[in-house]
Amino acid sequence: MMDSATVWTVIVLLGLGSYALRFFFIGIVGDRPLPPWLLRHLRYTAVAILPGLVAPLVLWPAATDGEPDPARLVAAAATVVVGGWTRNIIAAILSGGFALYLMLYLVG
C-alpha cells in the first residue's frame, strides 16, 4: 500500500504532464499547420488507446489475481481476428464478448 505522499506526488506529476501535453498542442502549436508525418501518426492515436486499455485486462486480469486466463485470451484473439477480417468494430466487439462468455461457460 502506498502512502498518501506518494499518491499525491503521482497525481500532481500526472497533472503537470497532462497540462504540458495539452499546452503543447493548444498553446504552442495553436492553429499552425502540422507536418503531414505528424498528422499521420496522430490519426492512429485513438486506435492505439483501446488496445492499451484492454491489454492489461487480457494479460493480467484481476478476476484471476493477475494470472493469464484462457477464456480472455481466446476472446481477445476472436476480437482481433473478426475485426481484421470484417473491418467492422461492432462485429469484433460482439464476437469477443460471445467468445468470452462461451469460454467462461465451457472452461469455467
Side-chain angles (χ1 to χ4, degrees):
M1 194 71 174
M2 292 190 293
D3 60 343
S4 61
T6 303
V7 171
W8 281 108
T9 302
V10 169
I11 290 172
V12 168
L13 289 176
L14 287 175
L16 289 174
S18 176
Y19 180 80
L21 185 63
R22 292 167 198 239
F23 180 75
F24 176 75
F25 281 103
I26 296 172
I28 294 175
V29 174
D31 58 349
R32 294 184 197 126
L34 295 175
W37 63 268
L38 182 59
L39 291 175
R40 186 174 60 240
H41 286 86
L42 288 175
R43 194 176 340 153
Y44 297 110
T45 302
V47 177
I49 289 173
L50 190 57
L53 292 172
V54 173
L57 299 173
V58 171
L59 297 176
W60 307 284
T64 61
D65 294 328
E67 295 296 321
D69 183 25
R72 286 165 178 80
L73 293 174
V74 168
T79 304
V80 169
V81 168
V82 171
W85 182 42
T86 64
R87 304 281 185 206
N88 185 337
I89 193 164
I90 300 298
I93 291 171
L94 291 177
S95 65
F98 179 74
L100 176 64
Y101 285 109
L102 180 65
M103 288 298 294
L104 288 176
Y105 177 75
L106 293 175
V107 177

